[in-house]
Amino acid sequence: MLETIDPATTAWLLISTALVLLMTPGLALFYGGMVRSKGVLNMIMMSFISIALVTVVWLFVGYSLAFGDDVGGGLIGGLEHFGMAGITPDTARGGVPEFLFATFQLAFAILTAALISGAIADRAKFSSWMVFVPVWALLVYVPVAHWVWGPDGWISKLGVLDYAGGLVVEIVSGASALALAVVLGPRIGFRSEPMRPHNLPMVLLGVGLLWFGWFGFNAGSAMAADGTAAAVFLNTLVAGCTGLLGWLFVEQKRDGHPTTFGAASGVVAGLVAITPSCGWVSMVGAAIVGVAAGAVCSFAVGWKFRFGYDDALDVVGVHLVGGVVGTLLIGLLAAQVMTGGVEGLLYGGGFVQLGKQALAVVVVGLYAFGITYVLGKLIDRWIGFRVTAEQETSGIDLALHAESAYEHAVLAHGAPSGLFSREHERPRPETETDGV
């Protein structure tokens, strides 16, 4: 029986797709405010160029490989939809036009690639980033999307639950970010100079747009305008709020003051963690997921100083760690009223689901890290992935784009050292810890 297009579902997914597409410009502002003023344009451009590069790759090849009929034992799809072949305006998938479904999934792929850029802020060649993004999308994002969301993907068949991208988006981007940060090495002055956000209002505007778009990200994944979408919408709101509270609680206890930067980071941590679990936990479960992620990630962002990897904008500490927290908590908090059958350990479901979630976390994380590390090394040997020390010191906006975001002398040379502090970004002796 052929699927038919449902107008109500189509209308909701059109809105959701627009919301998810807005998230990448929101991320650009979020990341742009977090870097020093001499690199803000480059940071924003890394997100915007991801939109163009991933769109071309996805519509020609990526969508077919991710969501086409399986041809490799649950590992990859076929090429029957190469260049969107075989799809017409009347072709339905999940009750919506397949063109719309493909575009909705494209928005996820774009954001995932753009997220990685935060780990290598202030030191990556823009030309090398343009090579990296489309190849990475095909080698890393597309296969994992097929494993988890493809109807015949091996992780899907295993019974692992990932509602809107804890594995596919958050852990993939976080593990890839860690690999690329290791390949490029730390910024000049890492652990010895303050590298604080130059524009906190921009950070807060960016996180506001991200939070707004996240409702489409999660609730749109319900693929229906129904009660489940409403429950997911509510869970997304709750987790963002408790993530904020959890982060600020840790800051107050550890540092003696809550910060606006911490509030923004806590919101993102809660939203990251609820992404895989939003359709599987109750409202109370969502609150627990959010506060747990806010607290854990507030410590995790300091691990880079202890272990020596320069994750410039905390992609690892928030997206990888938050994704792991949210994915594993499904195994503890999954509620039958949401899943229709599966229950978490705390609801009497045993350890089986928790074990499945943990296996998927390890496999996806190692795959994303390994492939990204090799790809990054190859690009580095081929054309070089890092700017020169002189370009990095003078500022990559001028060096790579021949532009400056600000004409005022104070901002053009970086914010005064007394502004915009986050405790874990202060210069410190090698022996000092971050309270982790």
Side-chain angles (χ1 to χ4, degrees):
M1 182 178 177
L2 293 176
E3 285 193 79
T4 58
I5 294 174
D6 178 75
T9 300
T10 299
W12 169 234
L13 200 65
L14 282 166
I15 295 170
S16 296
T17 301
L19 289 171
V20 182
L21 286 168
L22 179 65
M23 292 177 73
T24 300
L27 179 73
L29 292 175
F30 181 59
Y31 278 177
M34 289 174 71
V35 296
R36 291 168 290 180
S37 59
K38 60 185 180 180
V40 57
L41 295 179
N42 176 261
M43 196 72 258
I44 291 173
M45 275 293 289
M46 290 177 83
S47 286
F48 272 84
I49 198 65
S50 299
I51 299 174
L53 293 171
V54 177
T55 295
V56 173
V57 169
W58 183 259
L59 295 180
F60 275 92
V61 184
Y63 174 71
S64 188
L65 293 175
F67 290 96
D69 294 336
D70 185 80
V71 296
L75 297 176
I76 200 69
L79 290 173
E80 66 268 26
H81 296 311
F82 178 84
M84 306 306 286
I87 302 174
T88 72
D90 297 322
T91 305
R93 180 158 188 161
V96 301
E98 189 161 5
F99 282 136
L100 176 57
F101 177 80
T103 307
F104 182 63
Q105 296 297 336
L106 163 64
F108 282 67
I110 291 169
L111 181 67
T112 308
L115 283 169
I116 301 170
S117 65
I120 56 172
D122 291 337
R123 60 197 189 278
K125 287 184 178 179
F126 191 69
S127 57
S128 300
W129 176 250
M130 290 183 66
V131 173
F132 171 81
V133 168
V135 179
W136 176 89
L138 285 176
L139 295 182
V140 179
Y141 184 87
V142 164
V144 175
H146 183 77
W147 300 351
V148 178
W149 289 334
D152 297 311
W154 73 269
I155 289 181
S156 176
K157 284 187 172 182
L158 185 63
V160 175
L161 300 179
D162 182 3
Y163 199 82
L167 292 166
V168 182
V169 177
E170 309 300 352
I171 292 175
V172 160
S173 63
S176 298
L178 177 59
L180 217 52
V182 172
V183 170
L184 268 68
R187 291 165 291 177
I188 296 172
F190 175 64
R191 294 201 290 192
S192 64
E193 298 178 8
M195 297 182 181
R196 295 162 181 150
H198 85 285
N199 192 326
L200 283 175
M202 184 185 293
V203 172
L204 294 171
L205 175 60
V207 81
L209 291 173
L210 282 169
W211 200 349
F212 180 60
W214 228 298
F215 291 112
F217 199 85
N218 287 353
S221 296
M223 295 296 294
D226 59 10
T228 298
V232 170
F233 194 106
L234 178 61
N235 284 348
T236 302
L237 174 63
V238 168
C241 293
T242 56
L244 183 156
L245 295 173
W247 193 297
L248 292 188
F249 177 81
V250 172
E251 278 194 333
Q252 181 65 47
K253 288 292 185 179
R254 182 185 61 198
D255 309 324
H257 50 262
T259 66
T260 53
F261 198 9
S265 301
V267 169
V268 175
L271 294 172
V272 165
I274 200 61
T275 293
S277 54
C278 57
W280 314 123
V281 301
S282 66
M283 186 277 293
V284 173
I288 295 171
V289 168
V291 74
V296 172
C297 291
S298 68
F299 287 107
V301 295
W303 294 349
K304 62 185 179 184
F305 296 110
R306 176 169 295 179
F307 298 109
Y309 61 89
D310 185 9
D311 170 26
L313 305 186
D314 299 322
V315 187
V316 178
V318 174
H319 291 274
L320 177 57
V321 174
V324 170
V325 168
T327 302
L328 292 181
L329 284 179
I330 294 172
L332 298 178
L333 299 171
Q336 187 175 15
V337 68
M338 293 294 293
T339 65
V342 176
E343 291 183 313
L345 177 63
L346 298 183
Y347 287 84
F351 288 93
V352 174
Q353 192 62 42
L354 180 59
K356 292 177 180 179
Q357 301 297 124
L359 175 63
V361 165
V362 171
V363 172
V364 169
L366 289 177
Y367 176 80
F369 180 91
I371 299 298
T372 304
Y373 183 84
V374 172
L375 176 60
K377 280 290 188 181
L378 289 174
I379 294 174
D380 191 42
R381 291 188 178 184
W382 175 35
I383 56 176
F385 215 135
R386 183 162 180 159
V387 299
T388 66
E390 181 181 358
Q391 290 173 327
E392 183 177 344
T393 302
S394 63
I396 56 177
D397 281 356
L398 285 172
L400 300 185
H401 305 289
E403 296 174 304
S404 175
Y406 306 103
E407 296 301 327
H408 302 294
V410 171
L411 288 177
H413 292 88
S417 60
L419 296 180
F420 309 150
S421 64
R422 176 191 257 178
E423 192 69 16
H424 77 270
E425 287 286 3
R426 71 193 191 282
R428 64 204 65 203
E430 289 293 327
T431 56
E432 186 179 350
T433 65
D434 294 272
V436 181

